[in-house]
Amino acid sequence: MSTGPDFAFSDLVAGYVQGFHDGRVALRTFDGRSVTVHLTGTTSGQIVRNLGRSYQDVSGRLWDLLVPGQMLFSYGPVYPEAGGPRFQASQLFFLGERPGEYGFEAPGWWIDQLGELAAFYRRAQFGTGPVDFADYRTELRLGGEKTGRHVQETDTLSRLVYGMASAYMLSGEEDFLTVAQRGSRYLRDHMRFVDPDAGVTYWYHGVDLSGARERKLFSSEFGDDYRAIPAYEQIYALVGLTQTYRVTGDPDLRADIEATVTLFERFFLDRRLGGYFSHLDPETLSPHHESLGGNRSRKNWNSVGDHAPAYLINLYLATGEQRYLRMLEHTFDMIVSHFPDPDGLPFVRERFHHDWTPDTTWGWQRDRAVVGHNLKIAWNLTRMNAALPKFQYRELAERIAKTMPEVARDRTRGGWYDMLERRPDQGVHRFVWHDRKSWWQQEQAILAYLVLAGHTGDDDYLRHARESAAFYNAFFLDHDQGGVHFTVLAGGVPFLMGDERLKGSHAMSMYHTSELCYLAAVYGRLLVRGEPLSLWFRPHGRAGRPGG
């Protein structure tokens, strides 16, 4: 009796070679199941390569590489047969020449990848000439070409600045620092609103350059946040400024960052029940105004948790100020107190009313899980526990890390899914819309398991980090056009439709790709393997001076 579909299709299967004989590869999948992959006379093989590197063909010596313990991705037709599906290999992807060898663990892998990404976005936005942020555009097509949309969104520009500052920190390339510094200046000159009476700084949603004059967009133009001031837009306005401040110590940047932190403390913070509200009315600056509709008196992951990875941890590292450590502690105390599910479900709760009652009816999320947010919590709780150890931080981080592979990872193909229903249906957490995989969720998995492996020495965490990095580097890097794909299908094929075809959009700039490269280099080399790592800084002439 057939145990699968009665039609042929193409798909990916991933795992570790157990044996190879007579054209058949015995493969153990990432979750321990046995699969046989059949080779043909046209099966090709390649070593997974980094951005900017040439195709490395190994088709003529597959038998040398198909040895026990070798990690492998196999893509090809799957045929229905009486005993179950027959996997045939059209393409084989190897991570190295021998078992235990992973290209992405070479000392320069992530540094080189970030350099290629920075060069791609530099060319796309400014060409090869002088860097002029008047030319910056939010939307970029697949190859980096600009669309006809003339809006400059503050968050995406700031994310580009973060990427360039990070690329300078790893490479010392002066041109990347020039982009970061000029971008920081452009943010301050064009997208900043200072309220001297309140002592705070706000950031515009963006600037519209389609007319004869620059038109400021104060409230958000994005559908979920339309005509409101969302906390996450103010948060991500700081991501590039803070990373550039880490590099330069520029006191003007610090002044704006501190004034924006004051904005969070004065208007977004819930002083009575804790946490940060998700939206403010743009006229009254109240989180409780009726104009906010479904965002009225709400808190969510982005407004509470995203402070830490976006800017706050970097700000604390750059300054050592106890004010920022206390803010971090408050943020993570709220997460461990309110986000875990009291019924023992594996996914955290992400949206709340003002009194921390879960909001299970909001918009597209309802009672659904964003896989990357769960992994992001595990990653950042581990970072926080290193700065201020608490049992609750480590316990929740490890609880999430140990449960996610069974419910949120593709155990047959590798990689991590996008969104799942929080509550199981017949024991399965169903897909919300699709089984695709997005680039930023892979980042969260890689960093979460790398930092946990570094802090605990647990081999399972290191294995999950390697398997996640293997899928990302095999299928997300765009070797034809440059940059990284937004989304791939479950089997690793790029999904190139709608906004997910773009290399620049409201959702994508350079932040997550560069953050992955920067921190994978830091965690992998310093924490996991104990290798040296050089970081570059360029102190500002007034850095560290009193009053400036």
Side-chain angles (χ1 to χ4, degrees), residues 411-521:
R411 296 176 289 169
T412 300
R413 306 172 188 87
W416 296 79
Y417 292 119
D418 180 12
M419 284 189 66
L420 299 168
E421 298 289 348
R422 286 187 64 254
R423 299 186 181 278
D425 176 15
Q426 299 182 1
V428 177
H429 294 271
R430 306 290 182 185
F431 300 119
V432 174
W433 295 293
H434 53 71
D435 62 353
R436 300 196 293 269
K437 301 158 186 174
S438 63
W439 94 105
W440 74 270
Q441 311 227 34
Q442 315 311 307
E443 179 221 1
Q444 308 307 311
I446 297 166
L447 295 183
Y449 288 107
L450 266 182
V451 77
L452 278 161
H455 280 287
T456 68
D458 189 310
D459 287 340
D460 279 342
Y461 292 147
L462 182 57
R463 176 172 57 85
H464 291 318
R466 283 172 167 167
E467 292 170 357
S468 302
F471 186 88
Y472 178 85
N473 283 286
F475 302 110
F476 277 88
L477 308 186
D478 187 347
H479 296 288
D480 297 320
Q481 303 282 353
V484 168
H485 292 298
F486 190 116
T487 305
V488 300
L489 301 177
V493 177
F495 179 77
L496 302 176
M497 296 183 67
D499 286 350
E500 292 171 76
R501 180 183 177 86
L502 301 176
K503 292 289 173 58
S505 66
H506 175 82
M508 187 185 210
S509 182
M510 192 185 162
Y511 170 55
H512 288 292
T513 53
S514 58
E515 181 180 57
L516 170 59
C517 293
Y518 170 62
L519 289 177

Side-chain angles (χ1 to χ4, degrees), residues 334-352:
M334 292 299 100
I335 290 172
V336 297
S337 298
H338 300 292
F339 281 61
D341 190 283
D343 298 327
L345 294 176
F347 298 108
V348 299
R349 303 174 297 183
E350 298 188 27
R351 292 187 179 271
F352 304 89

